[in-house]
Amino acid sequence: MSPKKKTGKWQCIEKCGACCRLAPNERQEAIAALSQPDQAEYMAMVANDGWCKHFNKVSKKCMIYEQRPSFCKVSNLTSLFRVEKNQFDAFAINCCKEQIISIYGPKSQQLKVFKETCSTN
């Protein structure tokens, strides 16, 4: 029997913002999980370049963080994707890793920091 892969506790990292890449053609699963009103709000947030219009690409910070929509809160993944609360960390870590790799690449500093922060393999 092989040892279980270590899964850490999910934590957002600074100066990443991979989740702020909202391009609808790249995020179809996320959009499908939203209600119709949330889908409309999501689409209204997409800038011409596919990034959220509230994401500052220089500082890599959300300009409306305290007032961001509920679908921007990672803690809401459990209800959006019907994930059991005890599976939240593994699910969120996997989602973030996939998004970071798709935006910044598998050898990016963001992925390295994320893995170190969440103690993932």
Side-chain angles (χ1 to χ4, degrees):
M1 184 186 313
S2 61
K4 279 190 167 183
K5 184 177 177 181
K6 181 181 176 185
T7 302
K9 184 161 177 55
W10 175 86
Q11 186 176 333
C12 189
I13 61 170
E14 290 187 15
K15 300 192 183 244
C16 177
C19 59
C20 298
R21 174 78 181 164
L22 303 180
N25 61 323
E26 299 168 12
R27 305 294 297 269
Q28 292 173 355
E29 279 186 26
I31 295 168
L34 299 173
S35 68
Q36 288 298 325
D38 283 345
Q39 284 182 7
E41 184 175 8
Y42 181 101
M43 297 304 286
M45 292 171 56
V46 181
N48 290 337
D49 62 1
W51 287 89
C52 177
K53 66 183 182 183
H54 302 293
F55 179 65
N56 182 315
K57 288 179 269 184
V58 175
S59 67
K60 294 193 176 178
K61 291 187 176 189
C62 176
M63 296 182 294
I64 62 163
Y65 187 80
E66 295 302 322
Q67 295 84 32
R68 71 195 187 281
S70 64
F71 57 78
C72 290
K73 298 174 183 173
V74 175
S75 60
N76 290 334
L77 285 175
T78 53
S79 60
L80 281 175
F81 292 99
R82 296 178 179 88
V83 175
E84 296 293 326
K85 289 187 184 212
N86 65 346
Q87 295 295 312
F88 168 78
D89 287 310
F91 184 79
I93 287 169
N94 188 55
C95 288
C96 287
K97 282 170 56 174
E98 286 181 10
Q99 189 68 4
I100 291 168
I101 289 169
S102 74
I103 302 302
Y104 300 116
K107 296 183 186 268
S108 65
Q109 183 65 22
Q110 288 87 348
L111 185 61
K112 179 182 175 191
V113 170
F114 182 74
K115 285 181 172 182
E116 290 170 357
T117 300
C118 295
S119 302
T120 66
N121 296 327

